[in-house]
Amino acid sequence: MKQKIVLKVSMHCSKCRKKALKVAAVAYGVTSVALHGPEKDKLMILGDGVDAACLTEALRKKLCQSSIEIVEEVKDTPKPVDPPKPPSPQIIICQPQPFEYYRVVPDPTPAPCTIM
């Protein structure tokens, strides 16, 4: 069961953001962590079996304030599989070869055998 969790965390500086990201990234089941919101004061966490309460408590210990805003299940929509395309027809152009006819014509008057 994939979850999407959004936590509001008091992050005043880049050092606080780094701490918050580090705490969230090492939590059990977390697959992705990102800063969220117009002020970048929220963490969006994706994962399987993430305990939002434990994560919030760990963030409160490292930083001062944190609260859960959204916990929702993310449904994986299977990607539609395209049916296999039939092989494209191969066009073969056959040009007729010109025919040459040969005929053996016997000599009507055989030459007499002469010895010189």
Side-chain angles (χ1 to χ4, degrees), residues 50-88:
V50 179
D51 188 355
C54 284
L55 186 56
T56 305
E57 187 177 330
L59 285 167
R60 282 182 186 155
K61 284 182 182 178
K62 286 285 184 180
L63 305 162
C64 292
Q65 298 173 345
S66 66
S67 59
I68 300 171
E69 284 200 351
I70 300 171
V71 177
E72 62 185 25
E73 186 177 337
V74 177
K75 295 181 181 178
D76 290 334
T77 55
K79 294 180 181 176
V81 178
D82 292 337
K85 295 180 181 177
S88 61

Side-chain angles (χ1 to χ4, degrees), residues 24-38:
V26 298
Y28 175 79
V30 173
T31 56
S32 147
V33 179
L35 293 172
H36 186 66

Side-chain angles (χ1 to χ4, degrees), residues 40-54:
K40 303 292 184 194
D41 61 341
K42 298 176 185 177
L43 290 177
M44 182 186 302
I45 300 158
L46 296 174
D48 286 331
V50 179
D51 188 355
C54 284

